[in-house]
Amino acid sequence: MSSAKIVPPPAANLDDVNAVAEAVFFLAKELRVLTDRVYALEQVLESRGVSPASAVASFTPNEAQAAELEAMRSRLIDGVLRSLKAPLPGD
């Protein structure tokens, strides 16, 4: 048997819990929007004879698309950090 001690995490204060809840709700809203958009795109593609699964699997972004994806990732991360009231990168 291991002799390692289990140390409980410190009690979170209500502000921390509220900030995490805000971040979870922010991510849930983002996920809902993305899920709806992906579903709509899949339906449009299928109606035009394109297999979304194979099209996405073979997609490689060009330089401009990669930059746009990175900007989108940054906005999402900034939104989560704002919800957590954490410092944003560069602050």
Side-chain angles (χ1 to χ4, degrees):
M1 184 182 261
S2 173
S3 63
K5 292 183 182 179
I6 297 175
V7 179
N13 67 42
L14 190 53
D15 289 338
D16 292 340
V17 172
N18 287 337
V20 170
E22 282 185 46
V24 168
F25 286 126
F26 173 83
L27 288 171
K29 288 188 290 187
E30 288 294 315
L31 179 60
R32 176 56 195 251
V33 169
L34 291 172
T35 301
D36 290 351
R37 292 181 62 85
V38 167
Y39 178 80
L41 286 169
E42 288 174 344
Q43 297 307 305
V44 169
L45 288 170
E46 284 181 11
S47 73
R48 297 189 176 156
V50 177
S51 169
S54 63
V56 170
S58 65
F59 176 75
T60 303
N62 62 30
E63 194 172 307
Q65 292 166 331
E68 188 173 358
L69 285 168
E70 183 56 36
M72 291 165 51
R73 285 185 200 107
S74 291
R75 284 192 298 274
L76 178 63
I77 291 168
D78 289 351
V80 171
L81 292 176
R82 265 194 288 286
S83 295
L84 292 171
K85 294 167 182 55
L88 298 177
D91 284 355

